[in-house]
Amino acid sequence: MTLREQNVSQLTSTTFDALVIGGGINGAASAAALAGKGAKVALIDRGDFAGSTSMHSSNLVWGGIKYMESNDFGLVRKLCKSRNHLIKSYPSTVQEIRFLTTITKGFRHSPHYLWAGTWLYWLMGNGFTKRPRLLSPTNIKQEESIIDVSKAVGGFEYSDAYLHDNDARFVFNFIRHALDYGATAANYVESLGAERQDGVWVTNARDTTNGNTFEIRAKVLINAAGPWVDQHNSLTGEQTSHQHLYSKGIHLIVPQLTASKRVLAFFADDGRLFFVIPMGNRTCIGTTDTHMDNPDAVVTDEDIRFVLDNINARLTLEKPLTPADIISTRCGVRPLAVEADQGSDRDFFQMSRKHVVDTNRDTAHISIFGGKLTDCVNVGNEIADALTELGVTLPKADFHWYGEPAESVKQQFMAQAKRIKLDALTPETSSELLSTRLWRRYADKAFAMLEKIEADSRQAELLIEETEYIRVELEHARDHEMITELEDFLRRRAKISLVVHHEQLRHSEGLKEACRVLFGDQADARFAAYFDRHTNTRLSGTAAEV
């Protein structure tokens, strides 16, 4: 029985303290916090974990510097503290990175004014990061030769943070924490609605892999469905003080534009921040900000033109980027929390990504609106407080439920890796040593990988061309990461489909071998299903990958 099958079977075996609907960052952090503090928790998601907004971010963990322009200093202060806390708690994963921002003639603020703002930003973050710098156009060109400074009047450099791997991987690690703490979690389990019966929420659920339906019982229902929070509240008849508005954002993944490990920031034609973000040997560019009436977003030709036009106008590339250069795209909606009596006639550029925990004490129902990766620990702690207020006892209320293992554990891992000469097995095409990568991705779970590699050095073989995943990682994903569809691995546990061309993957013998590791006798069927589905969506214009 697979890990997922075990967890699905456990969903009907007890009455949980809480059922979390949705496995994005809000739901994953909530489940990890509650399970770590001793609650009996279940989590379900109708698709894969981090399958929507949480896998379409900029991979940035930032303090919200843009919210300073709308004078939302309280939120900026909170997010800066959250960013700092994540850098300290996940030093291998959440890392400081410099942002080089170029200001052109005619912009609404001068470089000196904005530079002063970055100093305030730095102070609001307790001076935790490197200090800002003021730059002349000449300085900018010296720092990054690909930037077109012909219309520049200056710029500045400041620090925030980014995720070294990817956002969906970061989210799954919270799911992994929750499971380790005793939670029950399953992907591809859909909530068809819930009702309150004799003081308990009874959720009608469906396993989307086979159509089986069953009931899940919980004292408290937590709606963490991301952009679909309002829809699920309609299913349960919940009235809330907040609701969502939606803003679509896309990014394009293209070949590496610069080898420097910094973010290039500009102000796009529509006035919002526009980024060139390092992604290993690729570059991520974007984003857009388009009002949507619903959460179902796709990349359009207009979106692509906007991003390409903006980047080509701001960089001096040998050849302008064209749609042919696009390796993949990211497309999702930002769920923006607003009060329920506010309409959609809002300035999206000025709306923040704050989160709101909306609790109905009469029905023991919690809705989480808005939010972003940076604030995930606060969300988890606030949900734990809300559960306590609803009368659920948390036996380990002070448990520290997040973060990497202690430094002593890391040093033990590195010593063991050195003893077996792990780094000597690092594939030539890798961007970092195996010991560094395995620890960052799996922390103490990587000890078992060392044992397998020591017993059989072939476990360190690179399977899929132009990626950084070795055989032992595929086996770990199969046994411990609930890989149900091939896309779960290619897009969310890893970022392979973001950085490797679709057609190259289709013809990859290494990927076929990886499928045999992941799916056994079902490998060919899962391989064919993935490429049939993505070919069809690409032809119909609804692909999440170009």
Side-chain angles (χ1 to χ4, degrees), residues 33-336:
L34 294 177
K37 292 173 180 291
K40 291 189 296 184
V41 182
L43 179 147
I44 60 174
D45 194 293
R46 67 179 181 180
D48 189 28
F49 308 119
S52 183
T53 294
S54 293
M55 73 171 185
H56 292 306
S57 77
S58 300
N59 272 11
L60 300 178
V61 179
W62 64 319
I65 191 171
K66 76 167 190 173
Y67 306 138
M68 295 182 65
E69 192 171 10
S70 55
N71 299 321
D72 201 345
F73 298 116
L75 178 63
V76 173
R77 168 72 171 161
K78 181 180 180 182
L79 290 177
C80 282
K81 291 172 64 177
S82 297
R83 176 205 63 200
N84 298 349
H85 197 56
L86 286 180
I87 293 173
K88 290 187 290 186
S89 300
Y90 295 94
S92 301
T93 301
V94 183
Q95 299 173 348
E96 180 177 348
I97 192 169
R98 298 294 273 176
F99 284 63
L100 195 163
T101 306
T102 301
I103 306 301
T104 56
K105 298 173 184 176
F107 188 66
R108 58 184 179 270
H109 299 301
S110 72
H112 284 82
Y113 179 85
L114 294 172
W115 177 62
T118 63
W119 274 94
L120 178 58
Y121 187 63
W122 181 75
L123 291 170
M124 293 176 76
N126 295 333
F128 182 81
T129 58
K130 296 178 182 177
R131 295 182 179 184
R133 291 196 303 152
L134 181 66
L135 300 172
S136 68
T138 300
N139 296 148
I140 293 171
K141 196 67 175 178
Q142 291 172 342
E143 295 277 351
E144 283 288 349
S145 60
I146 66 169
I147 297 177
D148 183 355
V149 297
S150 61
K151 298 180 181 178
V153 293
F156 52 89
E157 188 179 61
Y158 68 98
S159 287
D160 258 312
Y162 81 121
L163 296 171
H164 194 289
D165 273 314
N166 70 329
D167 44 13
R169 176 84 223 174
F170 185 67
V171 172
F172 180 78
N173 284 337
F174 283 103
I175 298 290
R176 186 67 257 174
H177 282 318
L179 292 168
D180 291 344
Y181 300 147
T184 298
N187 50 0
Y188 296 96
V189 174
E190 180 182 13
S191 168
L192 302 176
E195 61 180 10
R196 191 86 171 153
Q197 298 178 5
D198 300 323
V200 173
W201 280 102
V202 179
T203 298
N204 184 22
R206 181 173 69 92
D207 185 336
T208 64
T209 68
N210 56 27
N212 292 343
T213 59
F214 50 90
E215 293 181 344
I216 308 172
R217 304 175 68 84
K219 299 174 185 176
V220 178
L221 189 64
I222 301 173
N223 182 358
W228 292 274
V229 163
D230 297 298
Q231 293 183 15
H232 195 272
N233 281 339
S234 296
L235 290 176
T236 58
E238 282 292 315
Q239 299 292 319
T240 58
S241 61
H242 286 78
Q243 65 180 11
H244 276 144
L245 298 180
Y246 308 106
S247 172
K248 180 178 73 171
I250 78 152
H251 297 84
L252 306 182
I253 313 301
V254 298
Q256 189 179 67
L257 300 180
T258 173
S260 65
K261 301 298 182 182
R262 60 157 66 94
V263 176
L264 307 185
F266 307 92
F267 286 91
D269 293 342
D270 62 3
R272 68 171 282 121
L273 278 168
F274 186 85
F275 299 119
V276 175
I277 305 167
M279 185 181 278
N281 63 351
R282 307 299 190 199
T283 296
C284 176
I285 53 177
T287 180
T288 60
D289 200 340
T290 309
H291 177 215
M292 299 289 291
D293 293 326
N294 60 67
D296 302 310
V298 298
V299 178
T300 66
D301 291 341
E302 183 180 359
D303 295 329
I304 292 173
R305 281 196 304 272
F306 176 86
V307 174
L308 292 181
D309 287 350
N310 272 277
I311 197 62
N312 287 328
R314 287 157 177 81
L315 301 181
T316 55
L317 303 173
E318 289 186 12
K319 294 181 179 180
L321 289 173
T322 70
D325 295 305
I326 300 171
I327 298 168
S328 64
T329 70
R330 316 183 85 173
C331 174
V333 295
R334 308 170 185 89
L336 305 171

